Amino acid sequence: MKRNHRKLLTGLILGLLLLVCFSATVSAASVKSKIVTKNGKQYYYNSAGKLVKGKYGFKIGKQYYRISKTGVLTKVSKAEGMAGELLNPYYGKYSKKQILWKAFQWSASLKYFTNPTKVPAGQTKEAFYGLYGFQYKKGDCNVQAATFYWMAKVLGYNVKMVQGYVPTAKNASGKITAYGAHAWTTIKTGVKTYVYDPNFSGYCTRNNMLKKMKSGYGFAYGTKNTYRYFSSKKKELK
């Protein structure tokens, strides 16, 4: 009788273990490639059923997200999401400043190309030029500025894309006689504003001028050996 009891008990335990394993398998399978809501927050489990964490940009279907270190999803625009995807390899491996420099190098190294300059109705200049650069990996100063703008924004910097002018000709007395349209970015740190001009850096690098890539990175308006920058109303920025 005791032997029968032991067999029955063993059978029950094995049955319970199989039920637990089966339930766990079903549970894991049910969250593969799926967004799950817990306590009002959304999380994403990949095709292996693993929670995805730590992504500057991540695409699920047609929507882009930023994913925190704990796996919480936050919706972002397409331009911001594409910028984040470029920075994903550096997430958690480099400091914020180091990643900003890598982002700047990416934008400054874009193949120069005269792209469409008219922003369609309903789009911002940042989104239009940024998406163009991320998709085609080429573009003019607008594209170079916009792509860097988005990557700096992803990193949490107080960044702005600026469109204005730089001098292109002077007379014998040094008076400016011609201007060329130009675009660049600025980052405000405290009360100070610094210029980040990927296009200027790319030009210096291609022509072996000044300090090459570093020439357009994080300087104050009016710095020697940089452009003189003017607003859209042709007022010099200092």
Side-chain angles (χ1 to χ4, degrees):
M1 184 67 71
K2 288 182 179 180
R3 185 177 297 176
N4 289 336
H5 282 175
R6 283 198 296 270
K7 286 183 178 179
L8 180 62
L9 183 60
T10 301
L12 286 171
I13 291 172
L14 287 172
L16 287 170
L17 287 172
L18 287 171
L19 181 62
V20 169
C21 290
F22 177 75
S23 298
T25 302
V26 171
S27 177
S30 66
V31 295
K32 287 183 178 180
S33 301
K34 186 177 180 180
I35 294 177
V36 176
T37 301
K38 297 178 183 178
N39 299 319
K41 296 179 181 179
Q42 291 187 313
Y43 302 83
Y44 180 73
Y45 292 82
N46 63 21
S47 58
K50 184 178 180 181
L51 178 65
V52 178
K53 303 177 183 178
K55 298 289 183 181
Y56 283 123
F58 193 82
K59 190 178 183 182
I60 304 173
K62 294 183 178 181
Q63 176 63 51
Y64 280 91
Y65 296 84
R66 183 187 182 98
I67 306 181
S68 73
K69 291 181 179 179
T70 57
V72 178
L73 301 181
T74 301
K75 287 184 179 181
V76 297
S77 69
K78 184 177 181 180
E80 185 171 342
M82 292 184 77
E85 283 183 318
L86 284 173
L87 301 181
N88 279 340
Y90 312 122
Y91 195 107
K93 298 179 182 178
Y94 297 89
S95 70
K96 183 177 175 179
K97 287 184 177 180
Q98 287 174 323
I99 300 176
L100 185 71
W101 170 235
K102 290 180 180 295
F104 184 84
Q105 288 177 297
W106 190 92
S107 294
S109 299
L110 285 175
K111 180 180 178 182
Y112 190 81
F113 177 78
T114 304
N115 51 276
T117 56
K118 187 175 181 180
V119 179
Q123 290 192 40
T124 65
K125 62 181 184 295
E126 293 86 357
F128 176 68
Y129 293 121
L131 286 172
Y132 188 96
F134 293 137
Q135 290 173 340
Y136 298 108
K137 308 296 188 296
K138 61 183 180 180
D140 61 13
C141 59
N142 290 293
V143 169
Q144 290 173 298
T147 52
F148 178 69
Y149 162 88
W150 284 111
M151 289 187 280
K153 183 179 175 64
V154 165
L155 293 170
Y157 284 94
N158 184 4
V159 61
K160 182 180 179 182
M161 177 180 169
V162 186
Q163 289 178 311
Y165 297 90
V166 293
T168 56
K170 298 178 182 179
N171 60 20
S173 61
K175 183 180 179 180
I176 298 171
T177 57
Y179 296 86
H182 189 55
W184 61 96
T185 55
T186 61
I187 290 179
K188 190 172 183 180
T189 304
V191 296
K192 295 184 178 180
T193 297
Y194 297 95
V195 176
Y196 291 77
D197 190 343
N199 179 263
F200 179 71
S201 284
Y203 178 81
C204 289
T205 299
R206 289 192 301 272
N207 293 281
N208 197 31
M209 296 168 59
L210 305 176
K211 295 180 181 179
K212 297 186 178 181
M213 190 68 78
K214 281 284 188 181
S215 299
Y217 187 79
F219 59 91
Y221 282 121
T223 297
K224 186 179 179 181
N225 291 328
T226 63
Y227 287 144
R228 291 174 63 186
Y229 293 86
F230 290 75
S231 70
S232 57
K233 296 182 179 180
K234 295 184 180 176
K235 180 180 179 181
E236 187 167 6
L237 300 169
K238 297 179 179 180

